[in-house]
């Protein structure tokens, strides 16, 4: 199989091949290393340990230099579950500098951000947001001029993303929240997510109903 992350989570022993030749063999933590992946695939990766299983997983590092220039303001997208793919693609195409987070590795939004070389805060697959990931997300938020929250399904594991948006709004950061479908239809936290979104509005966040409207706010130079 070609999905090394999936194999590492379930296999007790792995053999990594490149053009028919053995690169490495043994338990996953011995096989899944940055050096071995580079040798087999020619890719630069960051290898981490899953916080629950302890097994290794990796993410691709940006194919572009971190200082790659882009025109326009910096927009941080809080997304997940496929809700940010189109928005990130459009923002990058329009020349905005884009960041994203917190995204679970192998989530469709994470994969899109990776392909777009978008700086992002990441968490292990199927894991709740850790303090480390939240801090990285807040660093990206601090560097952005505008934060856009997509209509993500909100559970206990990613509720911290709304907390980060609220902290940004209360600190005076411009925040746009796309609320379609309404938060009540996406709230799996017994109302806590809906309450946080009301707090966001009270803190000055602008509530819109589509990505088009969010982008229009950016084009007008203001989200207010």
């Amino acid at each position: 199989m070609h999905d090394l992350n999936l194999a590492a989570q379930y296999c007790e022993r792995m053999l990594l091949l490149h053009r028919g030749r053995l690169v490495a063999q043994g338990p996953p933590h011995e096989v899944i290393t940055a050096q071995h992946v580079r040798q087999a695939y020619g890719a630069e990766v960051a290898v981490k340990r899953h916080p629950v299983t302890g097994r290794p997983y990796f993410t691709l590092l940006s194919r572009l230099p971190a200082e790659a220039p882009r025109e326009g303001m910096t927009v941080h997208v809080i997304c997940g579950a496929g809700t940010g793919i189109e928005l990130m693609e459009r923002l990058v195409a329009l020349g905005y500098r884009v960041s994203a987070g917190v995204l679970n590795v192998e989530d469709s939004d994470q994969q899109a951000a990776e392909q777009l070389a978008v700086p992002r805060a990441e968490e292990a697959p199927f894991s709740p947001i850790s303090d480390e990931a939240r801090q990285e997300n807040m660093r990206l938020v601090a560097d952005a001029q505008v934060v856009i929250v997509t209509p993500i399904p909100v559970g206990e594991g990613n509720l911290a993303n709304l907390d980060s948006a609220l902290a940004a709004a209360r600190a005076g950061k411009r925040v746009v929240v796309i609320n379609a479908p309404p938060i009540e239809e996406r709230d799996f936290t017994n109302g806590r997510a809906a309450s946080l979104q009301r707090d966001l509005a009270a803190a000055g966040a602008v509530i819109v109903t589509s990505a088009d409207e969010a982008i229009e706010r950016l084009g007008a130079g203001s989200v207010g």
Side-chain angles (χ1 to χ4, degrees):
M1 65 187 303
H2 295 284
D3 190 330
L4 298 188
N5 281 333
L6 185 62
Q9 294 306 308
Y10 291 98
C11 297
E12 298 301 326
R13 185 174 178 82
M14 301 177 67
L15 285 82
L16 181 60
L17 304 176
H18 176 60
R19 296 183 177 178
R21 295 186 177 183
L22 183 66
V23 173
Q25 62 177 316
H29 70 273
E30 293 182 4
V31 174
I32 304 301
T33 68
Q35 179 181 352
H36 290 157
V37 175
R38 184 186 309 115
Q39 187 176 346
Y41 290 91
E44 296 297 329
V45 301
V47 179
K48 304 177 183 180
R49 290 296 185 99
H50 194 287
V52 177
T53 67
R55 289 174 175 255
Y57 72 95
F58 67 83
T59 60
L60 284 172
L61 298 176
S62 173
R63 295 175 178 81
L64 297 177
E67 67 275 14
R70 288 200 175 103
E71 299 296 329
M73 70 173 65
T74 303
V75 181
H76 183 73
V77 181
I78 293 178
C79 56
T83 62
I85 296 174
E86 181 183 357
L87 178 62
M88 287 189 289
E89 290 176 344
R90 291 176 63 186
L91 288 172
V92 168
L94 288 168
Y96 292 102
R97 297 174 60 90
V98 181
S99 61
V102 175
L103 299 172
N104 288 94
V105 172
E106 297 188 357
D107 176 271
S108 54
D109 280 352
Q110 184 270 338
Q111 293 176 339
E114 187 172 84
Q115 292 172 359
L116 292 166
V118 166
R120 56 203 176 272
E122 294 182 338
E123 187 52 85
F126 311 111
S127 298
I129 294 173
S130 63
D131 288 341
E132 180 182 5
R134 178 184 170 130
Q135 290 172 9
E136 175 61 14
N137 197 41
M138 289 304 299
R139 184 189 69 78
L140 293 171
V141 167
D143 289 341
Q145 293 164 275
V146 180
V147 176
I148 299 179
V149 183
T150 65
I152 50 176
V154 184
E156 297 296 336
N158 67 340
L159 190 64
N161 273 341
L162 290 187
D163 278 325
S164 296
L166 179 58
R170 286 176 171 169
K173 186 78 63 176
R174 294 188 289 167
V175 178
V176 179
V177 178
I178 303 173
N179 189 42
I183 184 62
E184 291 76 14
E185 298 178 15
R186 303 177 278 108
D187 183 356
F188 301 95
T189 63
N190 292 321
R192 293 173 62 197
S195 178
L196 278 173
Q197 185 157 299
R198 288 192 293 271
D199 290 342
L200 269 165
V206 175
I207 309 299
V208 299
T209 59
S210 69
D212 286 340
E213 190 177 352
I215 292 173
E216 286 175 5
R217 297 275 183 166
L218 298 178
S222 172
V223 297

